[in-house]
Amino acid sequence: MENSKITRKNPEGMYGPVGNYTHITKIPRNSELYVTSGQIGVDQNGNIPDSMNEQIKNTFDNIQTVLQSEELTSEHIIKVNIWATQKIDWDYLYEKWSQLFGSDYPAMTVGYISELGLPEIKIEIEIWAAKV
């Protein structure tokens, strides 16, 4: 494995991912680590829409803004944690996911929980990134 870039893989002899993620992501030594707060579906005016899919769209827009603020791209993302309070429309989320990642997926964890920081928040996504 090349030691100067972020690498992702699914080990042989193990079941394949059940979604659009990779089982393991490796960052080289001396990389800068970036950890975001959970990004939510708030728009630029501070409004949180009622629709889960609108919240997903805004969340991905907010993720892009956070990444760009540090000159990061999806290539730098090593881990994604997703928390949701209701069933995720995976077709819609994966559409946004593919726009961000293409087919080079980071590690990912998903959890369904009873509530997030505010009652109107339906999804929150945390990003871990590394710059080599």
Side-chain angles (χ1 to χ4, degrees):
M1 228 185 288
E2 191 174 306
N3 203 23
S4 64
K5 68 178 201 168
I6 296 168
T7 56
R8 300 174 171 98
K9 73 176 189 176
N10 294 308
E12 289 186 33
M14 184 176 180
Y15 64 92
V18 297
N20 293 352
Y21 63 90
T22 301
H23 281 299
I24 190 164
T25 301
K26 179 182 176 184
I27 60 171
R29 293 180 202 272
N30 302 318
S31 297
E32 287 183 274
L33 185 62
Y34 297 81
V35 179
T36 71
S37 294
Q39 298 303 302
I40 61 171
V42 64
D43 67 19
Q44 291 184 350
N45 298 316
N47 300 315
I48 301 172
D50 290 333
S51 160
M52 170 65 113
N53 284 350
E54 287 179 59
Q55 287 194 27
I56 289 170
K57 179 206 172 297
N58 290 348
T59 300
F60 275 87
D61 290 346
N62 294 335
I63 288 168
Q64 288 282 26
T65 299
V66 168
L67 291 173
Q68 291 169 359
S69 75
E70 294 296 323
E71 299 179 1
L72 298 169
T73 67
S74 63
E75 291 177 1
H76 297 106
I77 296 173
I78 57 174
K79 175 76 165 113
V80 177
N81 293 317
I82 301 173
W83 294 279
T85 61
Q86 66 183 51
K87 186 170 174 56
I88 295 170
D89 176 349
W90 284 103
D91 291 337
Y92 187 79
L93 187 134
Y94 278 154
E95 176 186 321
K96 299 300 176 193
W97 188 264
S98 292
Q99 290 171 7
L100 181 60
F101 294 109
S103 61
D104 193 21
Y105 308 127
M108 175 177 62
T109 299
V110 178
Y112 286 100
I113 59 176
S114 61
E115 62 183 68
L116 288 158
L118 296 171
E120 59 269 28
I121 300 172
K122 297 177 180 176
I123 190 162
E124 188 166 340
I125 301 177
E126 173 189 19
I127 300 293
W128 289 61
K131 191 183 283 186
V132 179

